[in-house]
mmCIF file of all heavy atoms in Angstrom:
data_model
loop_
_atom_site.group_PDB
_atom_site.id
_atom_site.type_symbol
_atom_site.label_atom_id
_atom_site.label_comp_id
_atom_site.label_asym_id
_atom_site.label_seq_id
_atom_site.Cartn_x
_atom_site.Cartn_y
_atom_site.Cartn_z
ATOM 1 N N LEU V 1602 -159.325 -77.546 -226.271
ATOM 2 C CA LEU V 1602 -158.703 -76.235 -226.359
ATOM 3 C C LEU V 1602 -159.742 -75.141 -226.134
ATOM 4 O O LEU V 1602 -160.822 -75.180 -226.722
ATOM 5 C CB LEU V 1602 -158.076 -76.073 -227.741
ATOM 6 C CG LEU V 1602 -157.395 -74.734 -227.997
ATOM 7 C CD1 LEU V 1602 -156.025 -74.710 -227.348
ATOM 8 C CD2 LEU V 1602 -157.277 -74.472 -229.491
ATOM 9 N N VAL V 1603 -159.434 -74.185 -225.267
ATOM 10 C CA VAL V 1603 -160.314 -73.024 -225.098
ATOM 11 C C VAL V 1603 -159.862 -71.914 -226.032
ATOM 12 O O VAL V 1603 -160.676 -71.262 -226.691
ATOM 13 C CB VAL V 1603 -160.289 -72.533 -223.628
ATOM 14 C CG1 VAL V 1603 -161.239 -71.356 -223.449
ATOM 15 C CG2 VAL V 1603 -160.669 -73.660 -222.674
ATOM 16 N N GLY V 1604 -158.563 -71.703 -226.117
ATOM 17 C CA GLY V 1604 -158.024 -70.665 -227.004
ATOM 18 C C GLY V 1604 -156.595 -70.337 -226.620
ATOM 19 O O GLY V 1604 -155.986 -71.041 -225.818
ATOM 20 N N ASP V 1605 -156.096 -69.259 -227.192
ATOM 21 C CA ASP V 1605 -154.715 -68.861 -226.927
ATOM 22 C C ASP V 1605 -154.679 -67.726 -225.905
ATOM 23 O O ASP V 1605 -155.645 -66.979 -225.765
ATOM 24 C CB ASP V 1605 -154.059 -68.379 -228.226
ATOM 25 C CG ASP V 1605 -153.761 -69.523 -229.183
ATOM 26 O OD1 ASP V 1605 -153.827 -70.689 -228.743
ATOM 27 O OD2 ASP V 1605 -153.474 -69.253 -230.355
ATOM 28 N N VAL V 1606 -153.554 -67.623 -225.211
ATOM 29 C CA VAL V 1606 -153.334 -66.454 -224.354
ATOM 30 C C VAL V 1606 -152.355 -65.529 -225.074
ATOM 31 O O VAL V 1606 -151.611 -65.969 -225.951
ATOM 32 C CB VAL V 1606 -152.815 -66.844 -222.946
ATOM 33 C CG1 VAL V 1606 -153.867 -67.621 -222.196
ATOM 34 C CG2 VAL V 1606 -151.516 -67.622 -223.018
ATOM 35 N N VAL V 1607 -152.391 -64.264 -224.708
ATOM 36 C CA VAL V 1607 -151.566 -63.296 -225.422
ATOM 37 C C VAL V 1607 -150.133 -63.324 -224.865
ATOM 38 O O VAL V 1607 -149.926 -63.367 -223.658
ATOM 39 C CB VAL V 1607 -152.199 -61.881 -225.353
ATOM 40 C CG1 VAL V 1607 -152.342 -61.403 -223.924
ATOM 41 C CG2 VAL V 1607 -151.397 -60.875 -226.146
ATOM 42 N N LEU V 1608 -149.180 -63.357 -225.762
ATOM 43 C CA LEU V 1608 -147.772 -63.334 -225.354
ATOM 44 C C LEU V 1608 -147.033 -62.390 -226.290
ATOM 45 O O LEU V 1608 -147.389 -62.269 -227.457
ATOM 46 C CB LEU V 1608 -147.158 -64.731 -225.465
ATOM 47 C CG LEU V 1608 -147.696 -65.798 -224.515
ATOM 48 C CD1 LEU V 1608 -147.127 -67.148 -224.877
ATOM 49 C CD2 LEU V 1608 -147.370 -65.448 -223.077
ATOM 50 N N ARG V 1609 -146.034 -61.742 -225.747
ATOM 51 C CA ARG V 1609 -145.229 -60.853 -226.586
ATOM 52 C C ARG V 1609 -143.805 -61.359 -226.627
ATOM 53 O O ARG V 1609 -143.347 -62.016 -225.707
ATOM 54 C CB ARG V 1609 -145.227 -59.435 -225.999
ATOM 55 C CG ARG V 1609 -146.439 -58.638 -226.377
ATOM 56 C CD ARG V 1609 -146.451 -57.330 -225.664
ATOM 57 N NE ARG V 1609 -146.376 -57.534 -224.224
ATOM 58 C CZ ARG V 1609 -146.310 -56.548 -223.360
ATOM 59 N NH1 ARG V 1609 -146.301 -55.298 -223.762
ATOM 60 N NH2 ARG V 1609 -146.257 -56.800 -222.066
ATOM 61 N N GLU V 1610 -143.135 -61.016 -227.684
ATOM 62 C CA GLU V 1610 -141.699 -61.285 -227.699
ATOM 63 C C GLU V 1610 -140.998 -59.956 -227.923
ATOM 64 O O GLU V 1610 -141.450 -59.120 -228.703
ATOM 65 C CB GLU V 1610 -141.327 -62.333 -228.755
ATOM 66 C CG GLU V 1610 -141.887 -62.090 -230.119
ATOM 67 C CD GLU V 1610 -141.808 -63.326 -231.006
ATOM 68 O OE1 GLU V 1610 -141.361 -64.372 -230.529
ATOM 69 O OE2 GLU V 1610 -142.211 -63.219 -232.175
ATOM 70 N N CYS V 1611 -139.941 -59.755 -227.198
ATOM 71 C CA CYS V 1611 -139.243 -58.478 -227.252
ATOM 72 C C CYS V 1611 -137.820 -58.701 -227.729
ATOM 73 O O CYS V 1611 -137.210 -59.731 -227.458
ATOM 74 C CB CYS V 1611 -139.220 -57.824 -225.879
ATOM 75 S SG CYS V 1611 -140.877 -57.498 -225.246
ATOM 76 N N ALA V 1612 -137.319 -57.726 -228.453
ATOM 77 C CA ALA V 1612 -135.958 -57.844 -228.961
ATOM 78 C C ALA V 1612 -135.220 -56.534 -228.715
ATOM 79 O O ALA V 1612 -135.780 -55.445 -228.877
ATOM 80 C CB ALA V 1612 -135.999 -58.153 -230.450
#
Side-chain angles (χ1 to χ4, degrees):
L1602 179 79
V1603 182
D1605 288 347
V1606 294
V1607 60
L1608 294 172
R1609 277 174 304 177
E1610 49 196 3
C1611 300

